[in-house]
Amino acid sequence: MKIGVLASQGAFAEHIKVLQQLNVEAMPVRLPHELLGVDGLIIPGGESTTISRLIAAYNLESGIKALVKEGKPIFGTCAGMILLSRDISGNTTKALDLMDIKVKRNAFGRQRESFETELAIPVLGEEPYPAVFIRAPMIERCGDGVEVLAKLDDGTIVAARQDKLLVTAFHPELTGDYRFHRYYLDMASGKA
Ligand code: GLN
């Protein structure tokens, strides 16, 4: 199995490292032809406006959308989640419009710009999952076909899945807990 990691900007090197730890071939993707032949794509955290501009500048949008049509799984973390969304709160520009969610950027304000918390995520098993949030977005609305995977104690939705699209508001590549990547790989191989 070969998983592409969008390497335009942001935390791509960390995702590549996790995939390598899990003995999966990881392919940094910057150009459209690098999307050919991957079995899935991770869109990392970073600055969504920058990544969005680079996706446009390097003509990556149609290749990413083709992967989804082929049923290949896409995992968007933090800025990657923003990019996969249909609507961005307070923003008239759309992202890739692939997942039926509405997100709010930098949703936690200055006091809680970055924080770590333990989340109950039933699809990952009983043990709480350590989630690192960095200037993180939240999911404000989920469409009918979207399964909520994790919420904060106050009910804020921070992880979800729609068919083969998986998103987290937090950074699963920054802790040693690889269960989210394993879950994603199970989606890629049809096990989850
Ligand atoms: N605040 C960033 C944005 O809106 C996302 C931060 C992140 O990916 N850690 O694009």
Side-chain angles (χ1 to χ4, degrees):
M1 178 150 48
K2 183 159 93 178
I3 300 294
V5 180
L6 190 67
S8 309
Q9 188 264 338
F12 54 89
E14 290 79 0
H15 280 286
I16 289 172
K17 251 181 243 154
V18 175
L19 291 171
Q20 286 168 345
Q21 298 266 334
L22 295 172
N23 294 316
V24 172
E25 193 185 336
M27 164 89 177
V29 170
R30 293 185 184 87
L31 298 169
H33 75 267
E34 290 161 339
L35 286 168
L36 304 173
V38 299
D39 299 298
L41 180 72
I42 296 179
I43 305 182
E47 193 52 45
S48 54
T49 48
T50 305
I51 300 174
S52 177
R53 245 185 277 129
L54 292 166
I55 286 175
Y58 289 90
N59 286 316
L60 288 159
E61 179 163 344
S62 60
I64 294 172
K65 291 191 165 167
L67 288 181
V68 177
K69 282 212 188 85
E70 290 162 19
K72 299 196 172 145
I74 303 209
F75 185 10
T77 63
C78 204
M81 173 173 104
I82 297 169
L83 290 162
L84 289 175
S85 72
R86 170 151 305 160
D87 295 305
I88 303 170
S89 216
N91 206 327
T92 48
T93 53
K94 292 203 171 198
L96 294 168
D97 188 10
L98 284 166
M99 186 163 175
D100 191 8
I101 54 172
K102 180 176 183 180
V103 302
K104 182 175 178 190
R105 295 181 61 200
N106 304 320
F108 297 95
R110 287 187 151 241
Q111 296 299 320
R112 290 180 85 204
E113 272 206 341
S114 299
F115 59 99
E116 186 169 342
T117 189
E118 305 254 292
L119 291 177
I121 307 186
V123 293
L124 300 185
E126 277 185 11
E127 207 186 308
Y129 185 86
V132 176
F133 292 77
I134 303 168
R135 301 188 62 229
M138 64 160 81
I139 301 177
E140 286 188 323
R141 182 193 63 78
C142 284
D144 287 342
V146 178
E147 181 190 357
V148 172
L149 299 182
K151 288 180 182 176
L152 297 178
D153 289 340
D154 67 3
T156 304
I157 302 169
V158 290
R161 174 178 176 177
Q162 177 184 339
D163 300 324
K164 297 254 171 157
L165 302 171
L166 180 67
V167 292
T168 62
F170 47 88
H171 282 263
E173 77 287 8
L174 293 183
T175 59
D177 191 327
Y178 299 153
R179 280 180 291 161
F180 238 107
H181 286 81
R182 285 212 182 85
Y183 178 73
Y184 169 69
L185 294 170
D186 282 348
M187 281 170 63
S189 63
K191 273 190 255 161

